[in-house]
Amino acid sequence: MTRNILPRRIGSALSCSRRLLPRLSKLLSRSMSTKALANGCLAPGPVPEGTIRLYSMKYCPYAQRARLVLEAKGIKHETININLLDKPDWFFEKNPLGLVPVLETSSNQLIYESPITCEFLDESYPERRLLLADPYAKARQKMLWEHFSKVIGCIFKITMARKSSEDTSKLEEELQSKLGFFEQHLAGAKTPFFGGDSVTMTDYMLWPWFERLDALSLTKFLDLCPALRTWTQAMLQDAAVKATINETQAYKRFFELYMQRRPEACD
């Protein structure tokens, strides 16, 4: 009965709202939860049919790998952020290691560890494949990921050494050398991205740490890596990168609070 007495303008607005609601719901389902769930928070309900759930933390580079793939492939998903400094007890049922990213399907399947989650997404949603089809080319990509784990280790060691006011000169030489390996690979390939002329899985696997170089005061290491510097500029134009990127100041705040082990760092 209410509809019969509504002014036409209000009725039109309601009609418009109904048309927009599905779009709004879709956007909300793809957005990240604004506050990380901490100890004492209730576990979320079942994953809706036709959606995949990502347990993440908005400043975690490993979780960003999965977020990049979800965005690049246009996969309908919802994101639940976990406070990694004050984890809910139920989260260990999702991943006994207590780490993100974790994927959960509507069939109660749980997948964790960033390379595994990313490959699962690429195989489960075959539109716009990010891993190269050729077995040898794919193997070479994965070997690059292994090499890059050493870069991640160097970045972590330098960050911790600086916190303790230790000399980092040897560690910085090591980081420059390891980045040089990727510089030579990219320059030798003569392509803008690590998999060719378009962004592939390897680019997304590496990107999160390059996004954080400025916040960690490590951009100087790109001065001797012109191909890598050009690659970073190209990656900044990628739609998935734009959808998942954080501001440098947000990272600086996170690192400061995280080093103090303050739970609000994850919000």
Side-chain angles (χ1 to χ4, degrees):
M1 293 180 61
T2 305
R3 282 184 294 175
N4 295 332
I5 61 174
L6 280 173
R8 183 174 299 176
R9 185 174 298 174
I10 297 177
S12 176
L14 285 174
S15 176
C16 180
S17 296
R18 292 190 189 100
R19 292 197 303 270
L20 291 174
L21 188 57
R23 299 180 194 174
L24 181 60
S25 298
K26 184 177 180 181
L27 286 172
L28 289 173
S29 72
R30 292 167 64 91
S31 66
M32 290 192 295
S33 55
T34 55
K35 191 170 180 64
L37 299 186
N39 190 28
C41 292
L42 295 176
V47 179
E49 191 70 31
T51 300
I52 194 163
R53 176 179 293 160
L54 172 68
Y55 294 95
S56 180
M57 195 277 280
K58 60 185 177 181
Y59 300 115
C60 174
Y62 296 97
Q64 189 180 2
R65 285 173 162 177
R67 286 162 43 213
L68 284 164
V69 173
L70 285 163
E71 291 291 341
K73 296 176 74 69
I75 298 170
K76 184 180 179 182
H77 66 281
E78 61 180 25
T79 304
I80 293 178
N81 283 315
I82 301 297
N83 193 317
L84 297 182
L85 292 176
D86 188 22
K87 301 167 190 173
D89 291 339
W90 54 260
F91 183 61
F92 290 91
E93 299 174 10
K94 309 295 183 183
N95 180 0
L97 301 175
L99 303 174
V100 294
V102 179
L103 295 174
E104 185 174 15
T105 72
S106 58
S107 302
N108 300 316
Q109 298 168 322
L110 292 163
I111 305 97
Y112 48 85
E113 292 297 312
S114 62
I116 299 171
T117 59
C118 292
E119 188 164 359
F120 173 84
L121 291 170
D122 202 43
E123 292 181 350
S124 300
Y125 300 86
E127 299 81 5
R128 196 202 163 184
R129 294 301 291 261
L130 295 173
L131 279 167
L132 301 180
D134 177 74
Y136 179 61
K138 184 190 298 185
R140 282 178 57 83
Q141 277 201 320
K142 291 184 176 182
M143 287 188 285
L144 282 177
W145 306 353
E146 288 299 314
H147 278 284
F148 195 72
S149 67
K150 311 304 182 195
V151 173
I152 297 171
C154 276
I155 291 173
F156 176 78
K157 290 176 184 177
I158 290 172
T159 302
M160 298 308 294
R162 285 177 175 175
K163 180 189 174 187
S164 304
S165 301
E166 298 175 17
D167 177 49
T168 61
S169 56
K170 294 294 184 182
L171 289 171
E172 292 185 10
E173 289 176 11
E174 183 181 356
L175 177 58
Q176 190 72 72
S177 174
K178 293 187 183 309
L179 286 174
F181 172 85
F182 289 88
E183 170 71 14
Q184 291 175 11
H185 180 93
L186 199 55
K190 294 182 171 59
T191 58
F193 303 102
F194 281 96
D197 293 327
S198 60
V199 177
T200 61
M201 187 69 81
T202 295
D203 301 287
Y204 288 140
M205 296 294 285
L206 275 55
W207 172 253
W209 285 269
F210 285 89
E211 182 178 312
R212 290 156 176 77
L213 288 182
D214 190 18
L216 294 170
S217 301
L218 295 173
T219 53
K220 67 178 183 179
F221 294 99
L222 295 181
D223 292 344
L224 299 179
C225 300
L228 275 178
R229 184 176 289 279
T230 300
W231 171 78
T232 61
Q233 294 304 310
M235 287 295 291
L236 286 169
Q237 304 307 311
D238 179 75
V241 169
K242 289 181 179 180
T244 62
I245 200 166
N246 281 304
E247 296 291 335
T248 296
Q249 287 304 317
Y251 282 130
K252 286 183 177 180
R253 173 187 176 277
F254 164 73
F255 290 132
E256 181 180 354
L257 294 176
Y258 192 84
M259 290 294 187
Q260 300 172 31
R261 311 300 292 175
R262 290 169 60 180
E264 62 266 34
C266 299
D267 289 329

